[in-house]
Amino acid sequence: MTQMIDEQQVATQRKLTIAEALREGIAEEMRRDESVFLIGEDIGIEGGFGGAFGVYLGLTDEFGHDRIVDTPISEKVIAGAATGAAMMGMRPIADMQYADFLFECMDELVNQAAKMRYMSGGKVRVPMVMRAPVGATARGAQHGQCPESYFIHVPGLKVVCVSDAYHAKGILKSAVRDDNPVLIFEHKLLYGSKGRASAGGLDLTAYVPEEEYLFPIGKAVIKREGRDVTIVATHISLYRSMQVATELAQAGIECEVIDPITLNPFDKETLFASVQKTGRLVIVHEDTLTGGWGAEVAALVAEHCLFYLEAPIKRVATFDTVLPAAPSLEQVVVPTVERIKATILSLFD
Amino acid sequence: MTTEYFNDIGLEKNLHLYKQLVLLRRFEERVYFQYMQGEIPGTLHQYHGQEAVAVGVCDHLSKTDWITSTHRPHGHALAKGVSPRAAMAELYAKATGCCKAKGGSMHLGDPEVGMLPAIAIVGGGNTIVTGLGLAFKMRRSEQVAVCFFGDGATNEGAFHEGLNFAAVQKMPIVFVCENNLYGASTPYHAVSPITDVADRACAYGVPAQIVDGMDVLAVHQAAQEAIASARGGSGPVLLECKTYRYIGHSRSDARHYRTREEEAAWAAKDPIPRLGNMLIESRQVSQSDLDAIEHEIESVLDDAVEFARNSPEPTPEQAVMDIFA
Ligand SMILES: Cc1ncc(C[n+]2csc(CCOP(=O)(O)OP(=O)(O)O)c2C)c(N)n1
Ligand SMILES: [Mg+2]
């Protein structure tokens, strides 16, 4: 979809940050459907934060406190109430201030939201969305994890990672309309506009049309086409991979960069077609290595495309460590441009 | 006091409550029997002894009101209106069960009668129920949600988070604690520094009442007030029903952690003869009327067992269906 957008249109039309695009998507869905509501900590308090990353700023003026429910600091209740309300036909969008706090409500997400439909023999639906910010930002061990892999292991949950404004808005709207629990992971360094220094000074705005559109759950996007190696990456790692792709192009290595967007259900078709073309695969994520979602992608490709491979599958992930607080140490453990580049080059020795 | 209430609600209602008590008790007895015959798989957490709670509370609920339940849900399911056939078939793991054999004993429920699949994580329902309350409040629908839970659940964080959020949002929820003195083998007093769960409610500004959970009329009366108050918009209420499970925690429990004397003392408070005697003493009902109720329930259960036995197994494809909507 993104690739098909006319370049000229892009130049003349408006660009939004992920935070703005999410806000717009949420407001549109709330206008469209009375059953959509927001629930979380510090989201609608007058003079408050509008959510930990300002995504909800201004929404209370339009929708009021009946539809923007400020909770106590009770993550079990946020996830539990969202699950319960969803089963009653509401469409909650729940907010977790940091994805690290999802561990507070693992029961509600994993044992309740994910299983209710099955346990009821298909009689209930759980149309809820849970948004959660991930990513290492010099806040140390408990405010920087990327826990999406815990959730791809759970039958009954859909797991999404958004990395640009266009797809963030489009898939959020699809998630709201989906009749299943959908977790949306967003990277803290990607919310803002002109790119924080730590995000490599990237321009993080993207073209977002005025007209309504949806982007489907379960569909990957090819961010850059190439014939030599497939890179699958999300969030900030996706931008770093794009940078590496640009640099390697000068050395004659053409990288195909895929943003999977949905981790579960995974768009295998796009993945397999790419690997069959390139014969090489590198997966990059900021989640830790062991048992990370990259392992699942590697296994899929090993099972289905082994004989197309010309080199071993490689994963570039955060080392298996607790996240350190020191920025210098943090950069040692997360996937950097240098590490991604070196890993790709090792496949062409 | 109960005599007064007995007179207030009239013969028909009393007979109905009696019949429900008998249904729940005989259902569990039958289930136990069929389980011992090897016809029911898995394990069972049974409800013998606690019937007055489910019956007294659920009698005030309509189909559009909802309940959440626990690992011990058979009584709640029947009292909320799951048919004995659908419940029995679910225990038999048959396709005609209320959850198509995918829920089983610990997840009995049926949205069609206002019961979520029972939640077998202790305290699990105490946060989920706030979503029900929130939805009802947002829609101004005048529905009520009842959350059943055991004494064991009150030491889970979920109990506290749920009660606090329900209270601050003034949700139409009645929290019904069935304090049967034990969580599995552990006595409540060994793990809680207070005697009454009800004392915890004041920390959240929630009105609470201790109720004789072996007296269906006491439960019925307390529940009527609690449900009316919650429905009326005054916020949640907590009822602590003091009760007792007559049998082991689950099927393999030899009950060495409690005395036979204690068991006998609670059996002496049994809700069924208690209401039965009142009915007979009122001279409006004879022993043969009560016997007729027993016979009627017996044939309902014969039918349920036959139905379950003759129902088809779920087809293998069902194992991987209903994961996503
Ligand atoms: C979170 C959790 N911990 C432990 C268990 C195992 N377990 C099942 S029932 C039970 C006792 C529950 O006691 P209580 O809440 O008083 O209910 P009762 O069995 O007395 O009806 C325990 C420990 C569980 N199901 N869930
Ligand atoms: Mg107990």
Side-chain angles (χ1 to χ4, degrees):
Chain A
M1 265 192 176
T2 333
Q3 307 99 296
M4 296 190 307
I5 294 162
D6 187 302
E7 289 296 328
Q8 275 203 314
Q9 243 190 350
V10 174
T12 56
Q13 291 198 347
R14 70 195 188 121
K15 292 178 116 192
L16 300 183
T17 63
I18 290 188
E20 289 163 345
L22 288 169
R23 186 183 308 133
E24 196 172 83
I26 289 166
E28 285 175 15
E29 291 306 293
M30 288 180 79
R31 273 176 221 130
R32 183 187 61 82
D33 182 349
E34 278 276 296
S35 63
V36 179
F37 74 97
L38 305 179
I39 181 165
E41 296 161 19
D42 298 301
I43 60 173
I45 301 287
E46 255 85 50
F49 308 148
F53 297 90
V55 168
Y56 308 110
L57 279 173
L59 293 182
T60 319
D61 298 339
E62 180 175 354
F63 300 105
H65 292 291
D66 281 354
R67 294 179 70 195
I68 302 187
V69 181
D70 279 286
T71 66
I73 305 169
S74 290
E75 287 73 19
K76 292 175 74 60
V77 135
I78 295 171
T83 305
M87 289 189 285
M88 296 298 107
M90 304 297 285
R91 292 190 177 268
I93 304 175
D95 183 277
M96 201 55 30
Q97 285 196 336
Y98 285 75
D100 310 68
F101 312 155
L102 287 169
F103 299 122
E104 290 281 341
C105 51
M106 287 303 263
D107 180 60
E108 282 72 12
L109 294 171
V110 176
N111 274 320
Q112 316 306 339
K115 294 178 182 161
M116 276 291 173
R117 179 170 182 78
Y118 190 88
M119 296 193 308
S120 72
K123 288 183 182 174
V124 302
R125 291 166 201 267
V126 191
M128 63 176 276
V129 175
M130 171 70 82
R131 297 184 38 248
V134 303
T137 60
R139 282 162 178 75
Q142 297 173 344
H143 289 72
Q145 295 161 91
C146 295
E148 37 291 24
S149 303
Y150 289 89
F151 299 96
I152 67 162
H153 192 59
V154 182
L157 296 180
K158 296 187 179 181
V159 179
V160 165
C161 292
V162 296
S163 308
D164 69 69
Y166 177 86
H167 296 99
K169 179 180 172 187
I171 205 162
L172 171 101
K173 284 165 68 85
S174 295
V176 169
R177 298 176 195 197
D178 197 285
D179 281 333
N180 301 287
V182 183
L183 274 73
I184 302 183
F185 292 96
E186 301 153 9
H187 197 289
K188 279 163 275 185
L189 293 178
L190 300 181
Y191 282 122
S193 58
K194 283 300 166 197
R196 310 168 66 155
S198 38
L202 296 166
D203 176 8
L204 292 168
T205 59
Y207 166 59
V208 176
E210 308 260 5
E211 315 80 63
E212 172 161 70
Y213 65 94
L214 298 175
F215 185 83
I217 292 171
K219 199 171 173 310
V221 163
I222 298 171
K223 288 286 200 185
R224 178 190 175 108
E225 292 193 18
R227 58 171 191 274
D228 298 323
V229 55
T230 299
I231 309 175
V232 178
T234 53
H235 292 149
I236 195 84
S237 301
L238 175 67
Y239 290 85
R240 291 180 184 150
S241 298
M242 289 293 279
Q243 188 187 328
V244 168
T246 308
E247 290 174 21
L248 288 180
Q250 283 150 19
I253 296 175
E254 292 296 340
C255 303
E256 177 143 302
V257 183
I258 296 178
D259 177 1
I261 307 183
T262 307
L263 296 184
N264 193 14
F266 202 90
D267 181 354
K268 296 173 196 156
E269 221 176 297
T270 301
L271 172 70
F272 295 164
S274 179
V275 172
Q276 286 169 12
K277 178 174 74 175
T278 63
R280 293 180 182 85
L281 174 64
V282 176
I283 306 139
V284 192
H285 59 58
E286 202 181 294
D287 195 355
T288 45
L289 181 74
T290 301
W293 61 260
E296 183 60 28
V297 173
L300 280 172
V301 167
E303 279 173 350
H304 296 272
C305 308
L306 186 67
F307 301 119
Y308 292 89
L309 291 175
E310 292 169 28
I313 299 166
K314 290 285 179 185
R315 291 172 292 158
V316 185
T318 294
F319 296 135
D320 287 335
T321 175
V322 176
L323 273 179
S328 60
L329 295 181
E330 187 177 272
Q331 288 313 302
V332 170
V333 302
V334 301
T336 53
V337 167
E338 294 68 34
R339 189 140 66 93
I340 298 167
K341 195 170 176 179
T343 305
I344 293 172
L345 284 172
S346 76
L347 301 180
F348 293 91
D349 283 347
Chain B
M1 199 190 84
T2 349
T3 320
E4 204 179 303
Y5 190 72
F6 176 89
N7 293 329
D8 285 351
I9 61 175
L11 178 63
E12 210 179 311
K13 179 61 79 183
N14 281 303
L15 275 174
H16 173 70
L17 295 176
Y18 184 81
K19 200 162 141 180
Q20 288 290 91
L21 290 175
V22 174
L23 170 67
L24 268 61
R25 175 71 53 84
R26 303 295 169 242
F27 181 90
E28 288 294 48
E29 289 169 354
R30 186 67 70 94
V31 165
Y32 183 61
F33 183 77
Q34 305 307 142
Y35 180 87
M36 296 308 274
Q37 303 287 317
E39 293 185 20
I40 293 177
T43 189
L44 298 171
H45 300 85
Q46 296 200 277
Y47 201 60
H48 313 61
Q50 303 183 202
E51 296 89 349
V53 182
V55 169
V57 170
C58 292
D59 189 56
H60 299 290
L61 302 176
S62 71
K63 269 195 178 177
T64 53
D65 295 320
W66 284 76
I67 65 168
T68 67
S69 177
T70 69
H71 57 283
R72 198 179 299 290
H74 304 178
H76 303 142
L78 295 173
K80 190 64 177 65
V82 175
S83 75
R85 279 185 166 201
M88 192 67 81
E90 188 64 27
L91 298 180
Y92 269 75
K94 295 299 183 76
T96 53
C98 51
C99 305
K100 298 201 311 216
K102 301 191 198 185
S105 167
M106 281 197 269
H107 304 299
L108 275 194
D110 190 349
E112 281 151 34
V113 301
M115 178 178 181
L116 289 177
I119 294 173
I121 300 296
V122 170
N126 294 56
T127 56
I128 299 297
V129 76
T130 64
L132 279 54
L134 197 57
F136 302 159
K137 193 185 135 190
M138 284 176 154
R139 292 203 206 105
R140 297 181 172 75
S141 65
E142 303 201 348
Q143 287 162 282
V144 166
V146 171
C147 173
F148 289 102
F149 57 98
D151 48 284
T154 65
N155 290 320
E156 289 281 3
F159 165 79
H160 299 269
E161 291 196 24
L163 196 57
N164 179 64
F165 188 48
V168 76
Q169 287 280 342
K170 281 194 179 300
M171 290 183 187
I173 298 176
V174 178
F175 289 92
V176 178
C177 179
E178 298 185 60
N179 187 343
N180 59 10
L181 308 189
Y182 298 88
S185 67
T186 305
Y188 186 66
H189 68 76
V191 288
S192 308
I194 53 171
T195 311
D196 301 315
V197 169
D199 286 349
R200 293 198 165 163
C202 72
Y204 305 105
V206 171
Q209 191 183 336
I210 296 174
V211 184
D212 179 354
M214 305 302 281
D215 178 352
V216 72
L217 296 178
V219 175
H220 197 263
Q221 183 171 18
Q224 189 205 341
E225 289 161 17
I227 290 167
S229 165
R231 207 188 290 281
S234 308
V237 178
L238 185 145
L239 299 180
E240 179 186 6
C241 300
K242 303 280 194 187
T243 183
Y244 203 73
R245 75 172 145 68
Y246 291 172
I247 36 54
H249 167 67
S250 60
R251 287 287 28 105
S252 53
D253 174 4
R255 314 186 324 280
H256 293 310
Y257 50 85
R258 64 187 202 188
T259 64
R260 299 302 85 98
E261 290 72 31
E262 181 183 278
E263 292 178 353
W266 281 90
K269 307 180 198 187
D270 195 274
I272 297 176
R274 220 155 140 180
L275 183 56
N277 290 339
M278 287 178 90
L279 282 162
I280 289 173
E281 280 161 21
S282 77
R283 295 175 187 281
Q284 294 166 290
V285 169
S286 67
Q287 184 59 47
S288 63
D289 294 327
L290 299 187
D291 293 344
I293 289 176
E294 290 283 356
H295 287 125
E296 186 190 331
I297 297 294
E298 197 166 289
S299 60
V300 165
L301 295 173
D302 289 343
D303 170 74
V305 168
E306 272 319 290
F307 174 78
R309 279 186 182 142
N310 297 329
S311 289
E313 301 275 335
T315 54
E317 314 85 80
Q318 279 294 326
V320 290
M321 288 171 75
D322 298 322
I323 298 165
F324 289 105

